[in-house]
Amino acid sequence: MKKGRRNAWAVQNMKWEENIRRVVPYVAGEQPNKPGMIKLNTNECPYPPAPGVQKLAAQLDCDRLRLYPDAHTAPLVEALAEYYRVKPGQVFVGVGSDDVISMAFLTFFNGKEPVLFPDVTYSFYDVWAELYRIPYKTCALDESWHIRPEDYKQPNGGVIFPNPNAPTGLLESLDRVEEIVRANRDVVVIVDEAYIDFGGVSALPLIERYDNLLVVQTFSKSRAMAGLRIGFCIGNEKLIGYLNDVKYSFNSYTMNLPAQVLGVEAVRDDAYFKATTARIIATRERVKGELKELGFTFPDSSANFIFASHKEIPAQKIFQALRQKDIYVRHWDKPRISDYLRITVGTDGEMDRLIAFLRDYLAETKRE
């Protein structure tokens, strides 16, 4: 084939790209796998799942894997409904809270007005909005990294925000959350509570008063099951019904059998769940004091991470120094937060090693 014809053929056959849905994808935290590393960059739980989960996983009947799982995830829905004292019809389960929120974007955010969420927040929100062609507008957090309720009293097509927020870790009071929900009765308001178990008061009691409120939680953090991908939301039965309609139009068998079975066992072991979160909270509070002594400042986190900035050394420089020693934390080169590191709370031993390295590194840097 002559060169001119080949080029014309190539141009003609690239026309399919004109119909591609182009988005800037979400960038997940790095997932290194090195012996002896300290992984504090993706907010996973540093402790194993409940003992009952581990035991049941070892006993799982693999013959059942040839069959489709329960499309309605009924045992897990019922376990969550019992635990949170709601009706099963008020619970929706998905493959991680990301799946739940994505489905909620697709289901509820279809108006012409923009969806509102904070400017510094979970960085998947704008990705979903772009993917589903949903107009959106970000509302700037104040100088103390808090949400300003008045920003959410403008015309909008829906509201979503995390509480505690990510990556700041700051918790908004239940009164402030309710102020936002009350001001937006004509749209759906989603409160993303991925980190609520580490020191916050859930907005779940508000769902009895507000039929437009959806509260999302996850097993990935406090229940130590990020690898199984279990998320859920609770709200008015009509909201959950609409979510299920979309789910069953998309993929009926979204959650696999092991996740359903082991998820139920995780919910049952409440004592282990509470002991684990208490352990992480105690470590977080200790490490806050040690970071302050080293010259770091940070919002008062109510999550399983600390959003820290050093008064003298740039975050990028500290990030690279830690990485060279196989200590992984999260850093974003974005407006307002480029000089902060998000540090997941690990085990006491891991945090001791982090603090020891930072102490030596900062002392050496000052001598230079």
Side-chain angles (χ1 to χ4, degrees), residues 293-342:
E293 291 177 1
L294 293 175
F296 286 90
T297 58
F298 41 83
D300 189 19
S301 176
S302 294
N304 68 334
F305 56 85
I306 301 169
F307 190 55
S309 176
H310 196 268
K311 60 184 179 182
E312 296 175 358
I313 314 299
Q316 177 67 22
K317 188 174 180 180
I318 299 174
F319 171 77
Q320 293 296 343
L322 287 166
R323 198 172 186 280
Q324 288 174 10
K325 294 295 183 179
D326 290 333
I327 302 175
Y328 295 87
V329 299
R330 195 79 193 266
H331 175 256
W332 291 271
D333 186 17
K334 290 185 175 182
R336 298 191 71 185
I337 62 172
S338 61
D339 210 27
Y340 284 81
L341 300 172
R342 193 193 66 189

Side-chain angles (χ1 to χ4, degrees), residues 22-28 123-124 126-128 130-131 334:
R22 299 174 185 268
V23 293
V24 178
Y26 169 76
V27 179
S123 50
F124 227 140
D126 59 345
V127 173
W128 285 317
E130 294 284 352
L131 177 64
K334 290 185 175 182

Side-chain angles (χ1 to χ4, degrees), residues 75-97:
L76 182 54
V77 165
E78 290 167 5
L80 287 165
E82 181 180 359
Y83 184 84
Y84 290 102
R85 300 180 181 179
V86 297
K87 300 173 185 176
Q90 293 180 272
V91 180
F92 175 87
V93 172
V95 186
S97 59

